[in-house]
Amino acid sequence: MNRSVLIIGLIIVAAIVVVLFAGLGKDPQHIDSPLIGKPAPPFALKSVNTGETIDLESLRGKPVIVNFWATWCVPCYEEHPTLVANARQLPNVQFIGVVFNDSEDKINQFLAARGSAYPTLLDANGKTAIAYGVGGVPETYFINPAGTIVAKFEGPLSTEQLQANLEKALR
Amino acid sequence: MIATFFLMALLQIKVPDAAQFVGQPQGTPLSGPQLERKTMEISSELRCPVCQGLAIGDSPSIMAANMKAQVRELLQRGYTEPQILSYFEKSYGQFVLLKPKFQGVNALVWVLPILVLAIGFVLVVSKAKKLETAPVAAPPEEPIDDPYLARVRDLVEKP
């Protein structure tokens, strides 16, 4: 066989193998957020628990953890106790739950059965979730006291993961 | 849309607005069949974030329905197609665009197939030319050890 053809063939095969290894090892649902390092999109949504409107901009000055979830999301059941426990232990951090495509009744039933330690806001048409680039639930955004998104976490958070990401918001 | 606006104002609800991301609308507000056609067109260019490679126009997921509804609303408000694509890109990154932009590493998606095709074409043509021009060499005469073959050759070649 012609030596140059063999070398070109090997280069092409090597490139394909590298691309496949790099691509197949990734989570296809993972989205790198372009919002990291950018100001958090502002929102003011009604709290399902209290009925009052929570404005994100009024929370400037302290770290904010915005957790997108829904009652139809199974991993959210697993994550909820972690968020509630940490919210109770960290009074200087503002936790916010944002629920989209869900009903108030179902959310209230969920919170009554599993406890609540922070406001849960209803994003009725999912516009807030879209502005944050939410690709699935649960998904959590960590915002520093200046109002900048510093981290995004996809999937149910453990206490260690929550605190590691919160560290970035406290720097 | 107007009723929703008043209800939101009454409840003091505020959701992130496209104007914060891509500025004021630069086109004319669409309605009727034109609005539906353009909504479908843009929906076929945006990837559903919760599906595997499906456009929001083809996905039955709630997230895709929300995104499609937002595309329609933005068109009704006069946002142009590049503005709408840019709005979603600012939230989801280039991941959301089913047709990758011709920039950075993504440019390889466009360039590489053409480049590989061109290299292949050049290789085939040069190989074909070589085959065409190279004289067909006569096979070297080999000494015949086989006495039977030698006898046959003698019989054939003798006048």
Side-chain angles (χ1 to χ4, degrees):
Chain A
M1 191 186 287
N2 192 331
R3 201 183 158 90
S4 60
V5 172
L6 183 70
I7 290 168
I8 290 169
L10 279 175
I11 290 169
I12 291 169
V13 169
I16 291 168
V17 168
V18 168
V19 169
L20 286 178
F21 260 96
L24 294 178
K26 280 184 182 173
D27 175 4
Q29 298 291 339
H30 171 75
I31 304 169
D32 285 321
S33 178
L35 292 173
I36 307 289
K38 304 254 171 70
F43 62 81
L45 297 169
K46 189 179 152 243
S47 167
V48 179
N49 339 40
T50 60
E52 64 175 327
T53 300
I54 305 286
D55 190 339
L56 182 68
E57 291 195 319
S58 71
L59 301 172
R60 286 273 168 88
K62 60 175 167 178
V64 180
I65 296 177
V66 181
N67 174 250
F68 288 88
W69 67 284
T71 61
W72 42 263
C73 145
V74 177
C76 300
Y77 285 71
E78 180 193 324
E79 184 188 49
H80 189 70
T82 307
L83 292 169
V84 170
N86 278 281
R88 287 190 177 132
Q89 280 173 10
L90 302 163
N92 295 327
V93 178
Q94 180 64 58
F95 283 68
I96 293 176
V98 178
V99 189
F100 68 97
N101 292 115
D102 221 322
S103 73
E104 282 198 42
D105 286 348
K106 283 183 184 168
I107 300 164
N108 280 321
Q109 278 171 24
F110 181 101
L111 296 176
R114 290 169 182 81
S116 164
Y118 51 88
T120 296
L121 316 180
L122 187 63
D123 180 27
N125 45 22
K127 280 185 181 172
T128 306
I130 292 171
Y132 276 77
V134 173
V137 277
E139 206 164 285
T140 309
Y141 290 80
F142 296 80
I143 302 169
N144 71 11
T148 304
I149 295 178
V150 292
K152 168 193 170 182
F153 189 87
E154 294 165 351
L157 276 165
S158 66
T159 292
E160 294 73 34
Q161 289 160 336
L162 186 148
Q163 287 173 357
N165 283 291
L166 184 58
E167 278 291 312
K168 296 176 192 170
L170 296 170
R171 268 178 219 152
Chain B
M1 201 164 77
I2 293 166
T4 311
F5 175 78
F6 280 115
L7 187 65
M8 284 172 71
L10 194 69
L11 294 169
Q12 291 177 306
I13 287 172
K14 183 176 76 187
V15 288
D17 188 58
Q20 293 157 347
F21 294 85
V22 290
Q24 293 305 313
Q26 288 169 3
T28 45
L30 299 184
S31 60
Q34 204 186 359
L35 170 68
E36 292 312 313
R37 197 175 55 245
K38 198 69 187 167
T39 302
M40 283 311 294
E41 196 184 312
I42 297 177
S43 296
S44 69
E45 291 176 45
L46 289 168
R47 185 198 301 265
C48 163
V50 295
C51 321
Q52 298 279 341
L54 268 184
I56 60 167
D58 300 326
S59 166
S61 77
I62 301 165
M63 178 60 90
N66 285 341
M67 289 170 79
K68 204 173 148 186
Q70 195 153 12
V71 169
R72 182 181 284 111
E73 188 200 307
L74 293 173
L75 287 169
Q76 279 176 317
R77 287 169 59 188
Y79 279 95
T80 60
E81 183 175 334
Q83 277 186 302
I84 294 171
L85 294 178
S86 169
Y87 169 64
F88 283 97
E89 193 192 336
K90 281 187 191 319
S91 303
Y92 288 96
Q94 283 212 29
F95 165 89
V96 82
L97 305 176
L98 277 172
K99 202 189 280 179
K101 279 186 171 176
F102 191 89
Q103 66 179 46
V105 183
N106 284 347
L108 287 177
V109 175
W110 300 98
V111 172
L112 220 53
I114 296 165
L115 197 71
V116 169
L117 259 175
I119 291 171
F121 181 74
V122 169
L123 277 176
V124 168
V125 168
S126 66
K127 202 81 186 165
K129 270 190 181 169
K130 265 184 198 170
L131 285 173
E132 230 171 52
T133 52
V136 184
E141 200 119 321
E142 282 174 31
I144 301 163
D145 293 335
D146 190 338
Y148 175 74
L149 279 177
R151 202 165 155 242
V152 170
R153 175 170 283 180
D154 279 351
L155 286 170
V156 170
E157 288 178 357
K158 265 183 191 167

